[in-house]
Amino acid sequence: QKEVEQDPGPLSVPEGAIVSLNCTYSNSAFQYFMWYRQYSRKGPELLMYTYSSGNKEDGRFTAQVDKSSKYISLFIRDSQPSDSATYLCAMSGNSGTYKYIFGTGTRLKVLA
Amino acid sequence: SQTIHQWPATLVQPVGSPLSLECTVEGTSNPNLYWYRQAAGRGLQLLFYSVGIGQISSEVPQNLSASRPQDRQFILSSKKLLLSDSGFYLCAWIRWPSDTEAFFGQGTRLTVV
C-alpha cells in the first residue's frame, strides 16, 4: 500500500464550480499536510499547509485534515480557468522522520 | 534569500552511460535536501533525502545513488542508466523545523535513449 493515495483524474469542471481534491494516507506519523500546485514542466509551488487536524482557509482555497480518517481535502471555490493545473498533496512527519511524501497529483481543468 | 540551483536543465543520455545531477543551495545552512523523480503525467516519487553531510536515506531501491559531500550540495548519480530512468528530476530543500514548504530547483528533464 502506498503511503499517500491521490486520484490522478483528470478532473474537468465548468468555470465557477466548487472543486474538491482529496488524498488518503496510511502513515499515522504524518503531522504536516500540504497542497501544491504544479503547472506543466515546472516545479510544484506551495498553496497551503496545515499542521495536524482542522481547517484552514486562504481566499478561494480551503484545506481540511481529518487525522482520524487519514483523509485530507482541498476545496477551490469559484474555480477559474487559471486554476487549471496539477494539484499534489504532500505530507511529512514531526521530529524523528524527515520524509516528505507527495501524492500522485490530480490534473484539474477548469473550462471557460 | 535562499535559492536552489539544479543543473543541467535537460539531458539526453544513452542507455548504459553514467549520470551525475548536481543541486546546490544558497543562503541557508544545514538544509534537509531531497531528490524526486516525476514520470510523465505522474506525481513526485521520493528517491533520496539527506539531513546532513554524508547522511543519505533511500526510499526506493533502484539504479540510482545519492551523495552529500558538502552541507549545501546534493548529487544524484548512476553508473549505468536504464531506459526506465527517464523522467523529470527535481531537487528540493526544506528547513526543518521552522518551515514546511519545499523549495524546488528548476528540474532536469532526463531522456535515456
Side-chain angles (χ1 to χ4, degrees):
Chain A
Q1 180 187 9
K2 288 185 179 178
E3 286 189 281
V4 180
E5 300 273 5
Q6 185 177 6
D7 187 337
L11 180 62
S12 292
V13 301
E15 183 176 358
I18 297 175
V19 177
S20 173
L21 304 166
N22 311 293
C23 288
T24 59
Y25 64 97
S26 58
N27 190 340
S28 57
F30 289 145
Q31 296 285 339
Y32 293 90
F33 304 91
M34 284 66 67
W35 285 96
Y36 284 79
R37 179 170 60 195
Q38 185 180 24
Y39 294 108
S40 182
R41 295 179 174 266
K42 301 286 185 183
E45 295 178 324
L46 181 70
L47 275 176
M48 299 181 69
Y49 83 90
T50 307
Y51 175 71
S52 194
S53 286
N55 295 357
K56 191 171 185 178
E57 189 172 321
D58 184 2
R60 296 185 294 113
F61 298 88
T62 300
Q64 288 185 353
V65 175
D66 182 350
K67 290 191 70 181
S68 62
S69 302
K70 295 189 175 67
Y71 189 87
I72 71 169
S73 301
L74 177 71
F75 298 95
I76 307 174
R77 292 184 299 279
D78 188 24
S79 56
Q80 303 295 310
S82 58
D83 294 328
S84 299
T86 296
Y87 289 80
L88 302 104
C89 62
M91 307 179 189
S92 189
N94 222 329
S95 60
T97 173
Y98 297 93
K99 287 198 277 190
Y100 201 97
I101 304 291
F102 282 84
T104 52
T106 299
R107 195 151 47 96
L108 171 67
K109 188 167 186 178
V110 181
L111 305 171
Chain B
S1 64
Q2 302 87 2
T3 55
I4 180 167
H5 301 281
Q6 186 182 340
W7 66 93
T10 59
L11 194 58
V12 180
Q13 292 283 101
V15 169
S17 64
L19 173 74
S20 181
L21 302 181
E22 190 163 341
C23 172
T24 60
V25 181
E26 294 179 358
T28 187
S29 59
N30 197 31
N32 280 16
L33 297 173
Y34 301 74
W35 278 110
Y36 293 90
R37 177 171 62 199
Q38 187 171 35
R42 306 287 295 276
L44 274 69
Q45 179 188 29
L46 177 61
L47 302 175
F48 302 94
Y49 64 98
S50 171
V51 301
I53 296 173
Q55 301 179 60
I56 307 294
S57 296
S58 174
E59 280 299 295
V60 183
Q62 53 199 316
N63 186 40
L64 300 168
S65 62
S67 62
R68 186 165 176 178
Q70 300 179 41
D71 181 46
R72 302 173 196 176
Q73 185 183 31
F74 202 22
I75 298 172
L76 183 69
S77 304
S78 174
K79 291 182 179 178
K80 289 185 178 181
L81 284 169
L82 306 172
L83 287 173
S84 57
D85 292 324
S86 294
F88 189 44
Y89 288 82
L90 286 159
C91 177
W93 77 269
I94 305 166
R95 185 184 175 90
W96 289 98
S98 60
D99 208 343
T100 57
E101 182 172 1
F103 297 91
F104 289 88
Q106 66 172 357
T108 297
R109 190 159 300 280
L110 171 67
T111 304
V112 182
V113 296

